[in-house]
Amino acid sequence: MEGLAVKALLYSVWALSGVSLAGLLLTREMGAPAAACALTLFPLFLYFDSRGRLVKIPRLENGLILLFFAGSLARFFYLKESFLVVVAEFLILFLLLKCAFKKDRKDLFQMIVLSFFVLLSASTLALDFTFLFGFAAYILAATWTLSLYTITDGPGRQELGPAEEKALFRHLRRVSWMSLSLALGFALGIFIFFPRLSLAVFQGAVLGPARRTGFTEKVTLEKSGEIFRDPSVVMRVEVRPAEAAEKWGGKIRGRALSRFDGREWSAGGGEPRRIVKDAYRSRVLKTQKIVRYNYRVLEPDLAALKSELGMELSSGSYLRQKIYLESLDSKAIFAAPWAVSVTAALPRLDISPGLALSRADLSGERTAYEALSLVERPAESRLARKSRQDVAELRFLDRGPRKAASRPLFPSVMPLDEPETAENLEIPDDPALDQGMRRIRDLAGSIAAREDDPYSKAKKIERYLQVNYSYTLDIKGMESRNPVEDFLFSSREGHCEYFASAMALMLRMEGVPARVATGFIVDEKNPAGDYYVVRSQDAHAWVEAYMGGMWLEFDPTPRARRAAGGKPSFLGTVKQRIEYLNFLWNAHVLGYDMDSQRNFAGSVRRGSSRLSSNIDGKVMRLKLGALRAFRPEPSRIQAPKIPVLLILPVLALIVFRKYLKQFIRYITGVYNNRAEKTTNFYKEFLKIMAGKGMAIKSGETPKEFAARIACMDFGRAAGDTLNFLTDSFYRTRYAGENLTEGEKRMVISALILFKETSGKIINIHLK
Amino acid sequence: MRTFRERLRRLLKPPRTLRFTRFGAAFTFMTVGMGLAAMNTGNNLVYLVFGMMLGFITASGVVSELCLRNLEAGWLLPAESFAGAPAVARLVVRNGGRKTPSLGIRASARAEGKGLPGMSFEARFILIPAGSSSRADLEFVPKRRGEYALRGVRFETEFPFGFFVKGVELEPGDAGTILAYPALRPIREPRRSPAAGDKGKPRHLAGQGDSFREIRDFFHGDNPRHISWKSTARFSKLMVRETEREAERRTLLVMGREEDWSGLPTDELEEAVSFAASLFRKRMGEGYAAGFFGPGIRLEPSRAPDQAARVLAYLARFEPRNGREDPDDESALVEIGRHSREETEDILEQWRASR
């Protein structure tokens, strides 16, 4: 038994370690070396351990642990790598080290503890639903392992036969399943009901890794060869209503870049508007209570929009977005252009002059929030007229102070003042670029006529670029001092940043304030969940031009749209389903917060009040029916009506009386089949005697049996007890008597005597 | 079977003890830390891990309770145990439940006597299936003679996860006593010892002895061991070999006055009591019909199988007290007087002579 249990313990510890490692590797946050080590060394060490070929070298083991620890410290403090990833990889190496040497009980216990920390590490890094499988598998393996570890502990253990060994493992399995259900039940209960306070006392101390995305805070025009299209998901967006979604151009805006030096676009100057909504609860600990706030970003002047642009806004003009943002290396808050409000669990929101939204919390961790954007745009004719009207009133910087063009249509945004206008009209002032800029200006002049209104100019330039230039991600050739010039006149191909830069520059040269906006373009919809998936490869840049008192979007990049319609392949469908599961995981598990708890509680309350009102209604109807039954109707002679309320209890009593009695008997311990129960002891006695080779013969009465074995040595030694048993059987079976408590105890002691005795017993006692 | 009220009372207040193991204390501490970490970070997966840990703690409590719930214990005590000599007691643990086995059970008990050093018993059971019993043979060595009362058996388990040690102590009830007889030692006798060949004289009557009497037919009730198989084969019917009863050799061991014993220092008293027990056993072993007279005991010479046990039990409990007068002293003297001087042996005298 000893060998089998210890072997089972060893393999279960291996299994536990394997499950926890698998859970950590499935997070896909581990570096390639750590993952490779785990995948190759773990099975190798398992193989050698199963063959008994591992040895124990304590000094080497301890030395390596110290080495790994020192390495991890260096990675964290000097290389500034992510704390959680460093810890996770250290745990992997530590666990592999324990696997590499021969193990005693202490080592097995250390592996059990390490595997727990590996699971904990996985919980801090996991981003998709595969964590759930590892979690459940870990609970099962842990209960099994700990149970085995406990029962193999200590000296003086009983010896078990093969049948008992089987029974032991069967019972251990039952215990494991029971513990799994209890642990999962508690995990679910805690998850649903434990209040999400997010104390954030040590906020910022423990951060996870942030994804690198195609989205950047700056746009640098450089020839970097082929750009890798990264399919990792950046965010998921649910949009409502469908009417607004049709008007939406599919753009998710992140940044507005106004400053251009000829190669690089960056955010403009000006202090961002800060909206702070929280307050420190305690100055000492600086605890914050994070709740959802609604931040007002833009206040459209509805009357002005209607009067000047003929825009009649309705609910279908506003696009509601629910955005599930992954952990990014950016603090941008993304939303469709013209974001009116953002509802998020953020203590502060910064709004730059370019209407770029940023969160102020320390981490770029994943978050979910809602945004409301105005997607309705004026008709082109109204826009053209409005922009022409504004031109007449615009003054360029070099002609003196600017006068406000027209009544601002978004009063909450500061009107385009002089510095901002200048910034968005600025052409790079580098003598080396002068020649190139002249060429670009000439080209802009040739595309757009001087008399054209700004809107028409913008549309012409947009169209020109879309038709005459091609899209590529592979920018070849030598670096140019003026990339825009090179794009427009030499290569004639590029990606969205080139197209946007060229258009923005040309518009500025035509006197239209313009800037480059960066974000994502969305066109991948997951039909399973009815949401849009935004990936890193969907990063995009476009142009925003100021005309008619508003910033309007223009996209000069020729876009190859995905083929509309067509059924996805089987693999595609499977991928969509998996992606949907991940979305549900993100939305309802990782994103489960206090609002979710309130909603859940509210829905439970509504459901229960609906149920109770249904019941009340039914009871009321019943009562009314009963009352009507009592109401006299003197105009007719009626047969007497038996009140319904009296019939039901009587019926219930009649029907359930049988079950009621059984229930009472069960509670008070009175069993129906008394005869069988009270004579079971004699059956047990016969079984014991048969085991000793003294079986009762067919047709032999208990008294005859007792007399027969009384002649034998065994019977002589325990003659009185034998007679007592036989008499007790006759009394209970045929005379209907009950044994007293003392007699029952004597019966049990007699059975033990017969089972255990070798004939030299003096006394026997029970509790 | 317990009454309904007893069961209800037990259900409402089960008598259990609970203490943390080191691992359990660390685990519980970590659980609290995990809860704080979950609240601090707001990481929902850490909430899941926190819930899992709480679930483990709960499962530990539930499973350990199920393991301990229906246990019963019984003792099979040795027929004889002597001070200073190892003996074996059998602990039988029964799981009275119908479905749930008991795993990882540690049973412990103590036997204590007034003024005697206690004895501890401990046994471990990996598995006690439902409705079954398991046994453990526990060796013990009583340091001194006397009566050791067995206290109630205590069951403990760390199963399933080793977080806590949950225990239940069964009511002692009539758990039983271990009567440790005085230690037996080889004794040197200054007085007579049976000469070689000096056996009991046959009396020409049927009975127990070595001398052959006759071969006769087997009757119902005869000991099957006495069947003479050769004769049975010859006569084709069961025949038994009958022996002649031998005259008993008799001796009466006399302890004397209680005050003679009470005056002895403790270690000499023990030595003397051991001598008395050893001498009596020796006499019985030599085939004597031995009797024993002492303060509070009068046993006429006999070769009955339980004679030695009665004397040893008496000696195990013998505690002489000063100034106690045996009201039957006089009649005891009269009874002793009926035996011949040759048959009477004074224990104290012999003991002193043997030293």
Side-chain angles (χ1 to χ4, degrees):
Chain A
M1 167 62 200
E2 171 131 359
L4 185 64
V6 170
K7 226 177 184 177
L9 173 64
L10 177 67
Y11 285 123
S12 68
V13 170
W14 273 102
L16 185 70
S17 306
V19 162
S20 58
L21 274 177
L24 188 53
L25 292 177
L26 278 174
T27 63
R28 294 187 292 276
E29 298 292 343
M30 298 296 101
C37 278
L39 290 170
T40 52
L41 294 177
F42 188 83
L44 194 68
F45 293 146
L46 173 59
Y47 172 76
F48 284 126
D49 203 10
S50 65
R51 294 281 183 273
R53 288 189 195 162
L54 295 180
V55 295
K56 194 157 179 68
I57 311 173
R59 281 193 183 168
L60 177 64
E61 195 177 328
N62 295 336
L64 284 172
I65 291 171
L66 285 172
L67 189 66
F68 292 155
F69 183 65
S72 302
L73 285 176
R75 284 176 68 191
F76 180 65
F77 285 110
Y78 290 111
L79 301 179
K80 308 285 184 199
E81 292 184 24
S82 160
F83 175 77
L84 286 178
V85 171
V86 166
V87 167
E89 291 184 355
F90 170 71
L91 286 171
I92 289 177
L93 291 174
F94 198 166
L95 191 56
L96 286 174
L97 197 63
K98 292 309 275 183
C99 295
F101 294 93
K102 195 173 174 188
K103 299 156 205 44
D104 54 21
R105 268 188 81 83
K106 201 174 84 172
D107 295 315
L108 292 177
F109 182 74
Q110 286 172 357
M111 283 177 73
I112 293 171
V113 171
L114 272 174
S115 67
F116 169 74
F117 284 107
V118 170
L119 175 82
L120 187 61
S121 184
S123 74
T124 61
L125 293 168
L127 296 175
D128 57 23
F129 67 95
T130 51
F131 174 79
L132 205 56
F133 301 123
F135 182 68
Y138 179 86
I139 294 175
L140 202 59
T143 53
W144 178 263
T145 306
L146 284 172
S147 304
L148 267 177
Y149 186 84
T150 308
I151 61 170
T152 53
D153 189 17
R157 294 185 291 279
Q158 84 189 98
E159 293 299 315
L160 296 181
E164 286 164 323
E165 280 172 11
K166 262 187 175 174
L168 173 67
F169 287 113
R170 190 173 65 240
H171 293 308
L172 282 179
R173 273 197 298 274
R174 277 175 60 190
V175 165
S176 297
W177 284 111
M178 185 170 66
S179 302
L180 172 69
S181 50
L182 272 171
L184 279 179
F186 261 82
L188 200 63
I190 293 286
F191 179 81
I192 291 174
F193 297 110
F194 205 90
R196 299 302 193 265
L197 302 175
S198 193
L199 293 174
V201 173
F202 302 107
Q203 193 173 30
V206 177
L207 299 178
R211 284 188 194 284
R212 297 203 174 281
T213 63
F215 173 80
T216 51
E217 301 283 331
K218 295 180 180 179
V219 167
T220 305
L221 302 174
E222 58 187 0
K223 294 190 184 194
S224 53
E226 185 168 3
I227 294 175
F228 170 64
R229 288 173 62 83
D230 183 0
S232 55
V233 175
V234 170
M235 70 182 92
R236 296 171 178 84
V237 184
E238 290 178 308
V239 296
R240 302 274 181 277
E243 187 190 341
E246 282 169 18
K247 294 174 190 170
W248 176 42
K251 291 185 180 58
I252 302 276
R253 186 175 183 271
R255 286 285 177 261
L257 308 173
S258 303
R259 283 194 185 149
F260 183 55
D261 63 0
R263 293 180 63 79
E264 183 177 275
W265 290 89
S266 58
E271 277 299 307
R273 182 162 55 101
R274 287 204 165 95
I275 309 177
V276 180
K277 290 262 185 155
D278 81 314
Y280 286 120
R281 291 290 175 93
S282 158
R283 288 284 165 195
V284 174
L285 287 179
K286 296 215 182 287
T287 56
Q288 298 174 345
K289 188 182 172 194
I290 310 296
V291 295
R292 280 189 175 277
Y293 291 120
N294 182 265
Y295 294 91
R296 301 293 295 179
V297 179
L298 213 56
E299 297 280 359
D301 185 339
L302 301 179
L305 285 171
K306 187 176 176 183
S307 62
E308 299 199 25
L309 289 166
M311 286 172 70
E312 294 265 8
L313 300 182
S314 62
S315 59
S317 307
Y318 294 91
L319 183 73
R320 293 191 175 279
Q321 309 130 67
K322 182 88 190 273
I323 296 174
Y324 302 89
L325 194 62
E326 294 293 321
S327 177
L328 303 181
D329 53 355
S330 166
K331 290 189 188 157
I333 292 288
F334 298 88
W338 291 16
V340 173
S341 67
V342 169
T343 307
L346 296 170
R348 190 181 100 193
L349 190 70
D350 293 347
I351 306 170
S352 73
L355 285 181
L357 309 175
S358 300
R359 54 185 179 177
D361 55 343
L362 292 171
S363 62
E365 60 189 25
R366 56 207 343 245
T367 184
Y369 57 91
E370 287 157 23
L372 183 71
S373 298
L374 178 60
V375 292
E376 185 88 39
R377 295 291 182 269
E380 286 200 3
S381 56
R382 298 296 290 260
L383 268 173
R385 194 164 69 227
K386 180 82 174 62
S387 64
R388 188 189 300 277
Q389 193 181 334
D390 288 347
V391 164
E393 296 171 11
L394 268 176
R395 297 287 182 267
F396 287 106
L397 184 65
D398 55 358
R399 293 182 195 173
R402 176 192 175 276
K403 181 180 146 189
S406 57
R407 178 180 172 187
L409 297 170
F410 300 94
S412 62
V413 179
M414 293 174 69
L416 205 62
D417 59 7
E418 188 175 313
E420 205 175 339
T421 308
E423 193 174 69
N424 287 287
L425 286 171
E426 191 179 353
I427 310 296
D429 186 21
D430 184 350
L433 303 175
D434 277 350
Q435 189 183 356
M437 290 302 165
R438 272 199 294 276
R439 290 179 75 187
I440 296 170
R441 195 189 295 274
D442 293 340
L443 176 62
S446 67
I447 297 167
R450 198 173 172 75
E451 61 277 10
D452 281 338
D453 56 273
Y455 182 76
S456 303
K457 284 181 182 173
K459 289 304 285 185
K460 283 180 179 175
I461 293 170
E462 183 190 51
R463 182 94 184 116
Y464 179 81
L465 290 171
Q466 281 175 349
V467 167
N468 296 292
Y469 294 84
S470 50
Y471 183 87
T472 181
L473 286 172
D474 186 7
I475 311 295
K476 297 186 193 60
M478 302 288 289
E479 288 291 340
S480 163
R481 265 201 298 201
N482 192 338
V484 177
E485 181 199 1
D486 185 65
F487 164 70
L488 287 172
F489 301 107
S490 303
S491 62
R492 302 186 73 83
E493 63 177 9
H495 51 69
C496 54
E497 290 170 356
Y498 282 88
F499 282 89
S501 301
M503 179 170 174
L505 197 55
M506 285 198 277
L507 278 174
R508 287 184 176 189
M509 289 171 177
E510 288 298 309
V512 178
R515 63 193 181 195
V516 169
T518 57
F520 296 89
I521 188 109
V522 165
D523 63 4
E524 181 189 344
K525 195 164 187 185
N526 188 316
D530 194 25
Y531 61 90
Y532 288 94
V533 180
V534 181
R535 302 180 187 275
S536 286
Q537 65 199 18
D538 297 328
H540 192 51
W542 60 93
V543 173
E544 288 181 348
Y546 188 81
M547 56 192 71
M550 67 189 91
W551 287 96
L552 291 170
E553 305 94 44
F554 297 91
D555 192 353
T557 310
R559 281 179 59 203
R561 294 216 175 254
R562 290 171 198 241
K567 216 175 160 187
S569 65
F570 173 72
L571 193 62
T573 309
V574 167
K575 280 183 181 172
Q576 280 177 350
R577 296 273 175 209
I578 292 174
E579 161 55 39
Y580 177 50
L581 282 173
N582 275 328
F583 168 70
L584 290 176
W585 177 258
N586 285 336
H588 300 295
V589 176
L590 300 183
Y592 188 78
D593 57 6
M594 195 181 275
D595 281 344
S596 311
Q597 288 180 311
R598 279 203 206 104
N599 293 339
F600 177 73
S603 61
V604 167
R605 199 181 63 233
R606 282 191 294 276
S608 65
S609 62
R610 212 179 301 129
L611 183 67
S612 74
S613 64
N614 278 346
I615 292 171
D616 286 341
K618 283 185 177 135
V619 168
M620 188 55 68
R621 282 195 286 279
L622 206 61
K623 281 182 182 170
L624 288 175
L627 282 172
R628 258 187 249 118
F630 278 107
R631 197 183 305 141
E633 286 184 302
S635 57
R636 286 195 297 164
I637 299 171
Q638 296 180 344
K641 285 187 186 168
I642 302 169
V644 171
L645 285 174
L646 283 180
I647 291 177
L648 279 177
V650 169
L651 268 176
L653 264 175
I654 293 166
V655 169
F656 293 111
R657 190 178 57 141
K658 175 181 152 196
Y659 297 107
L660 196 62
K661 270 191 184 166
Q662 279 186 0
F663 180 68
I664 290 170
R665 274 195 205 123
Y666 175 75
I667 292 292
T668 56
V670 176
Y671 300 101
N672 278 332
N673 199 357
R674 255 164 60 185
E676 190 182 317
K677 293 287 179 190
T678 52
T679 56
N680 267 353
F681 72 89
Y682 196 74
K683 281 187 195 161
E684 184 71 23
F685 164 68
L686 292 178
K687 222 170 26 174
I688 293 169
M689 298 310 290
K692 293 187 184 300
M694 290 177 266
I696 190 168
K697 291 179 185 167
S698 167
E700 195 174 26
T701 66
K703 277 223 156 82
E704 286 170 352
F705 177 58
R708 180 160 64 86
I709 62 176
C711 294
M712 303 177 185
D713 283 345
F714 176 84
R716 271 195 279 273
D720 289 340
T721 313
L722 190 60
N723 291 335
F724 166 72
L725 266 181
T726 310
D727 286 341
S728 300
F729 171 72
Y730 273 103
R731 282 168 49 209
T732 53
R733 181 69 180 88
Y734 298 108
E737 288 180 23
N738 286 336
L739 295 176
T740 63
E741 284 304 314
E743 283 171 337
K744 283 175 194 170
R745 285 157 59 87
M746 283 172 66
V747 162
I748 294 170
S749 60
L751 288 176
I752 296 177
L753 168 76
F754 284 123
K755 191 166 184 190
E756 307 291 342
T757 190
S758 61
K760 293 182 182 175
I761 304 303
I762 293 294
N763 53 13
I764 175 166
H765 299 276
L766 274 185
K767 71 167 180 83
Chain B
M1 196 185 292
R2 298 191 193 97
T3 63
F4 173 68
R5 279 180 70 181
E6 278 172 352
R7 271 199 275 158
L8 184 65
R9 194 179 329 132
R10 194 178 168 83
L11 199 69
L12 290 174
K13 194 182 173 190
R16 301 284 185 266
T17 58
L18 194 74
R19 69 170 194 276
F20 283 99
T21 59
R22 276 174 61 183
F23 176 48
F27 187 86
T28 308
F29 180 73
M30 268 174 46
T31 304
V32 172
M34 199 60 54
L36 290 173
M39 282 197 288
N40 182 55
T41 60
N43 185 328
N44 283 325
L45 298 187
V46 178
Y47 276 104
L48 275 179
V49 174
F50 172 53
M52 175 196 80
M53 294 173 84
L54 283 180
F56 272 133
I57 292 173
T58 308
S60 177
V62 169
V63 171
S64 59
E65 174 61 29
L66 290 174
C67 285
L68 290 175
R69 192 163 268 268
N70 294 304
L71 292 178
E72 301 166 355
W75 288 97
L76 292 176
L77 298 172
E80 295 178 331
S81 63
F82 295 89
V88 174
R90 179 168 286 176
L91 175 64
V92 180
V93 178
R94 186 169 180 277
N95 183 346
R98 277 191 277 180
K99 279 187 188 171
T100 315
S102 296
L103 291 111
I105 300 293
R106 187 169 58 230
S108 59
R110 242 187 112 62
E112 288 169 349
K114 194 175 163 189
L116 298 170
M119 294 189 290
S120 297
F121 301 91
E122 193 171 295
R124 286 172 184 267
F125 301 92
I126 293 178
L127 171 70
I128 308 175
S132 298
S133 60
S134 293
R135 60 176 188 264
D137 292 331
L138 308 171
E139 193 177 279
F140 64 96
V141 179
K143 286 204 172 71
R144 288 177 54 190
R145 64 174 175 99
E147 198 163 359
Y148 294 83
L150 279 167
R151 298 289 169 226
V153 178
R154 181 176 176 74
F155 293 117
E156 285 181 342
T157 183
E158 289 184 18
F159 190 79
F161 305 134
F163 294 159
F164 316 108
V165 180
K166 188 178 262 189
V168 60
E169 180 131 7
L170 302 183
E171 300 99 23
D174 179 21
T177 55
I178 296 173
L179 192 59
Y181 297 153
L184 295 179
R185 296 194 179 91
I187 53 177
R188 286 175 300 133
E189 287 186 85
R191 269 191 60 181
R192 60 182 172 131
S193 56
D198 182 16
K199 293 187 291 187
K201 297 181 178 58
R203 286 191 183 173
H204 306 296
L205 294 171
Q208 200 154 347
D210 292 335
S211 309
F212 169 78
R213 187 165 184 264
E214 66 174 348
I215 299 282
R216 59 166 175 82
D217 289 348
F218 176 85
F219 296 121
H220 180 74
D222 282 338
N223 190 340
R225 286 203 190 115
H226 293 163
I227 292 175
S228 171
W229 294 106
K230 275 187 184 170
S231 305
T232 300
R234 196 186 307 152
F235 292 110
S236 303
K237 56 179 175 176
L238 282 174
M239 307 295 285
V240 291
R241 182 177 183 274
E242 205 171 52
T243 53
E244 285 191 344
R245 191 191 307 172
E246 291 172 354
E248 280 180 345
R249 289 176 295 159
R250 294 160 60 92
T251 185
L252 180 69
L253 296 180
V254 174
M255 286 185 74
R257 295 180 307 168
E258 192 169 357
E259 62 194 34
D260 293 335
W261 291 85
S262 64
L264 291 172
T266 309
D267 51 346
E268 285 187 14
L269 173 67
E270 295 303 314
E271 208 184 297
V273 169
S274 282
F275 180 83
S278 308
L279 183 62
F280 191 86
R281 278 279 284 231
K282 191 165 185 275
R283 289 290 177 260
M284 293 289 290
E286 286 167 351
Y288 281 89
F292 197 88
F293 271 33
I297 184 171
R298 309 268 179 80
L299 288 176
E300 287 297 329
S302 165
R303 288 166 68 179
D306 64 343
Q307 184 84 336
R310 291 163 77 180
V311 169
L312 289 171
Y314 166 79
L315 287 172
R317 295 186 179 99
F318 178 61
E319 294 294 339
R321 276 181 286 179
N322 271 327
R324 181 168 71 169
E325 286 181 9
D326 186 354
D328 294 328
D329 259 353
E330 208 174 295
S331 61
L333 284 172
V334 169
E335 286 199 46
I336 290 170
R338 284 205 215 107
H339 295 267
S340 70
R341 188 139 169 39
E342 287 173 349
E343 283 183 350
T344 310
E345 297 181 66
D346 190 294
I347 295 171
L348 271 181
E349 194 182 299
Q350 290 213 38
W351 170 61
R352 286 189 184 113
S354 69
R355 289 179 83 190

